[in-house]
Amino acid sequence: GDPVPGGSLESLVLVREERSIDEDLLEDASRNIEAYLRERGYREARAPYAREEQSGDLVLTFTVERGPLHHVGAVGLDGNRSLPAADFEPLLQLTRGDPFVDARVAAIAVAIEELYRVRGFERVAVKPSVEVLPEETVGGVRSRPVDVRFTIVEGVRTTVETVILEGAE
């Protein structure tokens, strides 16, 4: 199948190191290859494996299908009424043209929720949405841009008016 860019398959498929070929190890190897590619922007990567005996030898074949390269397009926020946009800049670590990684988007959504909770918004909800756009060619590389939008439902802000300690001497 497709080549695995920049990585050694030995570090992703630990058959030699573990000296084993049990199903769990092979499933882990398949997931390792897929995760490695997804972290590099191939969000549809697949790497199923097959076991086949040939002339008394067991042959393991991982069929790597990277799928199209995805990169970050536009990034935006909706629903942020109480906090200034500048407060979000350190959290929005998505730069146009960078490889698109779903896990990074999810982590940013969690970070935005935490920022709101620290500021008193106990029931905040942040929902990321992605829109995969048609393929384009930039610098001779074909890829699909992905626009990301974080929709924020702030909820009611909780403030502490008074703190009373009883029984403390």
Side-chain angles (χ1 to χ4, degrees), residues 126-144:
V126 178
K127 183 177 186 311
S129 60
V130 298
E131 181 182 2
V132 180
L133 302 174
E135 188 175 283
E136 64 183 26
T137 302
V138 177
V141 176
R142 292 177 24 199
S143 66
R144 298 193 69 180

Side-chain angles (χ1 to χ4, degrees), residues 101-152:
V101 180
D102 285 298
R104 187 177 307 147
V105 170
I108 291 170
V110 169
I112 293 170
E113 284 183 351
E114 186 59 24
L115 172 66
Y116 269 95
R117 284 192 185 96
V118 167
R119 305 276 176 90
F121 293 87
E122 186 178 335
R123 298 192 190 277
V124 65
V126 178
K127 183 177 186 311
S129 60
V130 298
E131 181 182 2
V132 180
L133 302 174
E135 188 175 283
E136 64 183 26
T137 302
V138 177
V141 176
R142 292 177 24 199
S143 66
R144 298 193 69 180
V146 180
D147 289 349
V148 181
R149 187 155 252 9
F150 296 94
T151 302
I152 302 167

Side-chain angles (χ1 to χ4, degrees), residues 4-90:
V4 178
S8 166
L9 288 178
E10 293 278 332
S11 65
L12 300 171
V13 181
L14 301 175
V15 171
R16 185 171 307 183
E17 183 176 308
E18 295 288 329
R19 298 179 191 266
S20 173
I21 52 169
D22 66 29
E23 287 299 314
D24 289 339
L25 184 66
L26 297 175
E27 289 171 8
D28 287 346
S30 179
R31 281 192 298 271
N32 289 347
I33 295 168
E34 290 170 1
Y36 180 84
L37 290 168
R38 288 183 184 136
E39 289 170 6
R40 282 147 186 81
Y42 297 97
R43 75 186 298 244
E44 299 170 10
R46 302 281 180 264
Y49 66 91
R51 301 165 70 122
E52 182 182 342
E53 192 163 330
Q54 294 178 357
S55 304
D57 290 330
L58 178 62
V59 177
L60 301 173
T61 304
F62 289 86
T63 304
V64 178
E65 300 169 15
R66 292 187 312 200
L69 177 64
H70 291 75
H71 69 269
V72 176
V75 179
L77 291 170
D78 286 328
N80 55 315
R81 290 167 181 63
S82 301
L83 302 181
D87 289 359
F88 300 98
E89 287 177 16

